Amino acid sequence: MSQDLAHKRPYLLGSLLAGISFPATWLFLPLDGGLIAMFWKMAAVGFLVPFALRRHHKGEFVALAIMLAFYALGDGLIELSMVAGALAFAAGHLVAIFIYFSHRRVKPVFSQKLLAVTILLATPVIAYSLPPTRDEGIQVAAYSIILAAMAAMAWSSNFPRYRVGLGAILFVISDLLIFAELGPLAESEVTGLAIWYLYYFGVLMIAVGIAQTLVKRGHFAGGEERD
């Protein structure tokens, strides 16, 4: 199976290997990790960029690749500056919102609307309550408005909810845990592991779900299918 994946989806395999193994760098690399850990971390989502472009280099596959590239950039920048990392992730969320808005669900049922509204309203409120200071709370809440809009739009889109929508929710939970590390979970030894895997598998579900759906629907923007 791994040989078949390596042949047909080499970039997806590269992403899985980097994403699953990244926490091991916390054990055998220096405490700060250095450039090796940073690039290892970026490779997990970074490999999904060529995965998105492998079939088609036009249309919404490019938008998906740009979104993933911003997320990978954010993974690296956040090791240097929380603000710079947040800006990169926010840019990725804005591209994601554009994709989801272009594929918004027609006549969603009440429960879908309710969950989308709950995500949109509750995420910034929860984020604000987690850091120990008011200023930090305002900062994370401001970022969380864009994060929440991304997740709400993902759930409201016509992409598969239990891949793309759920992946976006995992992304939200991961970020809320990051904010919780500033306050109530500051002493937790396992939060970092949960943050990484919720984030990575959330982004993986989003990328694969969108790409597969676009292929099935023939969103090639004039390009020819490659695989």
Side-chain angles (χ1 to χ4, degrees):
M1 181 177 178
S2 60
Q3 290 181 346
D4 186 59
L5 183 61
H7 175 68
K8 293 185 177 180
R9 299 287 185 272
Y11 300 115
L12 182 58
L13 178 61
S15 172
L16 284 167
L17 291 175
I20 293 172
S21 65
F22 169 68
T25 63
W26 304 340
L27 299 176
F28 63 81
L29 289 178
L31 187 61
D32 61 357
L35 290 176
I36 295 176
M38 186 174 75
F39 285 118
W40 196 321
K41 183 182 183 184
M42 293 175 69
V45 174
F47 271 119
L48 295 176
V49 175
F51 165 77
L53 294 174
R54 187 165 187 256
R55 288 175 179 269
H56 310 284
H57 291 75
K58 296 183 179 180
E60 293 180 289
F61 291 92
V62 174
L64 173 61
I66 292 172
M67 178 195 82
L68 294 168
F70 275 123
Y71 289 161
L73 179 63
D75 284 333
L77 290 178
I78 203 168
E79 299 297 323
L80 306 174
S81 165
M82 284 288 289
V83 174
L87 289 174
F89 280 115
H93 296 332
L94 291 175
V95 178
I97 290 170
F98 164 76
I99 296 173
Y100 301 142
F101 183 79
S102 300
H103 293 267
R104 56 194 179 278
R105 187 174 298 272
V106 178
K107 296 181 179 179
V109 300
F110 175 75
S111 61
Q112 295 166 357
K113 293 180 180 178
L114 180 62
L115 182 55
V117 172
T118 301
I119 293 170
L120 185 63
L121 297 180
T123 301
V125 174
I126 295 172
Y128 175 79
S129 69
L130 293 174
T133 69
R134 183 172 179 272
D135 288 344
E136 289 176 317
I138 293 173
Q139 291 172 7
V140 299
Y143 162 79
S144 295
I145 292 173
I146 301 176
L147 171 69
M150 178 279 294
M153 290 296 295
W155 191 260
S156 301
S157 73
N158 57 24
F159 291 113
R161 286 194 304 276
Y162 293 103
R163 277 183 287 170
V164 176
L166 181 58
I169 291 174
L170 294 181
F171 200 136
V172 169
I173 296 172
S174 174
D175 275 3
L176 290 178
L177 287 175
I178 291 176
F179 306 148
E181 279 194 317
L182 300 173
L185 295 181
E187 302 300 324
S188 174
E189 297 181 357
V190 298
T191 307
L193 201 62
I195 289 170
W196 173 252
Y197 283 123
L198 286 169
Y199 161 73
Y200 171 69
F201 284 109
V203 174
L204 181 68
M205 291 167 66
I206 292 170
V208 173
I210 292 177
Q212 289 181 343
T213 303
L214 293 178
V215 168
K216 289 178 181 178
R217 294 176 184 172
H219 286 255
F220 310 140
E224 296 181 356
E225 189 168 357
R226 291 177 174 270
D227 256 357

